[in-house]
């Protein structure tokens, strides 16, 4: 699951950070989901139970910032898939 957010103006009005963190924690622990975040501002990802390694901070002053962000996301997801396949192959 990947969240893409720009600025605090689109923050949830329905859920708090604590509620989102609990949902993310449950989905990660029970269903083995992985969460990624692409954003242009620094928030406390760990507070939301999203590992820092799964967060991509956009540098909007670069003309190809979105291309770079999605290329980095692709690498992170590919690496995760490889890891899961290797774990499953081992038993």
């Amino acid at each position: 699951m990947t969240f893409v957010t720009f600025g605090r103006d689109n923050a949830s009005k329905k859920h708090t950070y604590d509620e989102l963190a609990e949902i993310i924690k449950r989905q990660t622990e029970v269903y083995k989901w992985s969460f990624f975040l692409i954003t242009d501002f620094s928030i406390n990802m760990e507070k939301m139970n999203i590992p820092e390694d799964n967060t991509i901070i956009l540098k909007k002053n670069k003309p190809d910032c979105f291309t770079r962000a999605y290329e980095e996301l692709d690498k992170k997801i590919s690496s995760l898939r490889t890891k899961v396949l290797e774990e499953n192959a081992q038993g």
Side-chain angles (χ1 to χ4, degrees), residues 35-76:
F35 288 85
F36 297 88
L37 174 66
I38 298 175
T39 185
D40 65 338
F41 65 96
S42 181
I43 62 171
N44 188 342
M45 289 70 68
E46 291 175 356
K47 181 178 180 183
M48 290 179 59
N49 287 322
I50 297 176
E52 188 173 341
D53 287 348
N54 289 7
T55 301
I56 300 164
I57 305 292
L58 281 177
K59 295 174 179 54
K60 288 175 72 174
N61 59 341
K62 306 271 186 190
D64 61 347
C65 66
F66 293 102
T67 301
R68 288 179 182 214
Y70 285 104
E71 286 173 352
E72 187 174 344
L73 178 64
D74 181 58
K75 288 177 188 175
K76 290 177 182 289

Side-chain angles (χ1 to χ4, degrees), residues 13-29:
K13 300 199 184 340
K14 183 176 180 181
H15 297 287
T16 65
Y17 272 111
D18 291 336
E19 290 171 328
L20 290 173
E22 193 58 38
I23 292 167
I24 291 169
K25 181 179 179 184
R26 181 185 66 243
Q27 295 303 111
T28 301
E29 291 176 354

Side-chain angles (χ1 to χ4, degrees), residues 34 36 53-54 71-87:
S34 294
F36 297 88
D53 287 348
N54 289 7
E71 286 173 352
E72 187 174 344
L73 178 64
D74 181 58
K75 288 177 188 175
K76 290 177 182 289
I77 292 173
S78 293
S79 175
L80 177 64
R81 284 184 180 148
T82 299
K83 179 182 171 189
V84 169
L85 288 172
E86 289 172 355
E87 288 173 356

